[in-house]
Amino acid sequence: EPEVTQTPSHQVTQMGQEVILRCVPISNHLYFYWYRQILGQKVEFLVSFYNNEISEKSEIFDDQFSVERPDGSNFTLKIRSTKLEDSAMYFCASSEGQGGTQYFGPGTRLLVL
Amino acid sequence: GDSVTQMEGPVTLSEEAFLTINCTYTATGYPSLFWYVQYPGEGLQLLLKATKADDKGSNKGFEATYRKETTSFHLEKGSVQVSDSAVYFCALRVASGTYKYIFGTGTRLKVLA
C-alpha cells in the first residue's frame, strides 16, 4: 500500500540553525500539507500546497517557514532560523483531491536546543 | 473558531474491556469527522470517518457515529486487544479553501493482557 514517508525521523539542532524536513507524498497525490504537534498539545495545521504554490497557511507559518516541491517526488519544510518553541513533531500529509482523505507520514521529531 | 475536544488520557484497560473515547466538536457548516490512530513509531493512520450527520464509521471493530445534535463523534470498541494500544486522534475537516484538518490532543490507550 502506498504511504507517505518522512526523513529524518529525529533531528536535533541548535537554536538559530536552519533545518529542512523532507517528505515523499503518495505518488499520484496533488495536495500536500504540513502539520505539527508540540508535546502534549494538539496537532496543528501549518500549510497546504497545491500546483507549486501555497494554498493556505496558518498564523504559525511565519516568514521563518517555507515549503517547496523541488522535484516530482519530494515536499520539504524549511525553518530558516529555529527557535526553542519550534521543537515539535512535524507531520507531512497528502491527498489525491482537495477534499480527499489526507494520508499522513510517520513524522519528524525536531528538538531545538 | 472550529475546534475538537477529546477526553484526556491515558486510558488503561484490560484486554476484552469496552472502550469509549469521547470527542466533541465545534464547527460552522457541515464538517467531516475522522478518527486517526498512531501506533508506536508510525504515522497517523485513518481509522474511520463519517461525512454527514447520523453516519456511522466503522473499521477493525471500532465504531463512531456522527451526532449533530450533541456535536459528538465518540469512538467505541466492544472488546479491546493489546494490539489496540496506540494514540487515538479525533479530527474534523473544515470546508475551507483547502479542507484543512483540526485535531484533538489525542488520547493514549494502553491495553493490558
Side-chain angles (χ1 to χ4, degrees):
Chain A
E1 186 176 327
E3 58 182 19
V4 177
T5 59
Q6 290 185 242
T7 54
S9 58
H10 295 78
Q11 173 113 30
V12 181
T13 190
Q14 296 292 322
M15 191 169 58
Q17 295 296 304
E18 175 184 286
V19 294
I20 297 176
L21 309 183
R22 290 182 168 80
C23 169
V24 179
I26 294 173
S27 62
N28 64 332
H29 286 188
L30 301 176
Y31 293 81
F32 314 113
Y33 312 82
W34 284 101
Y35 293 79
R36 78 172 186 190
Q37 185 183 30
I38 295 172
L39 189 64
Q41 298 185 25
K42 296 186 178 187
V43 177
E44 302 170 291
F45 169 79
L46 292 178
V47 66
S48 57
F49 190 86
Y50 169 70
N51 199 27
N52 282 320
E53 59 184 32
I54 290 174
S55 305
E56 184 177 358
K57 59 183 181 179
S58 71
E59 58 187 25
I60 302 168
F61 195 88
D62 61 22
D63 292 344
Q64 294 300 312
F65 291 87
S66 62
V67 289
E68 190 180 27
R69 188 154 163 83
D71 53 44
S73 59
N74 289 283
F75 178 51
T76 62
L77 174 69
K78 182 192 292 185
I79 308 175
R80 201 160 290 118
S81 177
T82 50
K83 306 183 190 72
L84 297 177
E85 55 264 37
D86 294 328
S87 296
M89 177 74 90
Y90 288 82
F91 293 105
C92 172
S94 68
S95 66
E96 189 172 1
Q98 186 179 37
T101 298
Q102 293 179 24
Y103 293 86
F104 287 77
T108 294
R109 185 170 295 283
L110 176 66
L111 178 61
V112 182
L113 301 176
Chain B
D2 298 342
S3 66
V4 173
T5 302
Q6 273 183 251
M7 65 186 289
E8 295 286 331
V11 173
T12 302
L13 296 172
S14 298
E15 207 165 25
E16 299 183 5
F18 184 85
L19 168 71
T20 300
I21 300 178
N22 290 336
C23 172
T24 57
Y25 67 91
T26 302
T28 53
Y30 302 96
S32 295
L33 302 173
F34 302 82
W35 278 99
Y36 279 80
V37 58
Q38 185 177 33
Y39 299 103
E42 299 185 18
L44 296 170
Q45 299 176 21
L46 178 66
L47 182 60
L48 53 85
K49 67 180 181 181
T51 58
K52 61 184 188 297
D54 300 324
D55 268 2
K56 178 187 281 188
S58 61
N59 186 26
K60 299 181 182 178
F62 291 89
E63 293 183 341
T65 301
Y66 189 148
R67 302 279 188 207
K68 190 177 176 189
E69 63 276 13
T70 54
T71 61
S72 64
F73 193 55
H74 304 322
L75 182 69
E76 296 182 335
K77 186 175 186 182
S79 176
V80 293
Q81 306 300 311
V82 173
S83 57
D84 293 326
S85 298
V87 181
Y88 292 81
F89 294 90
C90 184
L92 68 82
R93 184 178 67 205
V94 299
S96 70
T98 54
Y99 296 85
K100 67 183 177 187
Y101 283 27
I102 293 175
F103 284 87
T105 50
T107 302
R108 182 175 297 279
L109 170 66
K110 185 173 182 180
V111 181
L112 304 175

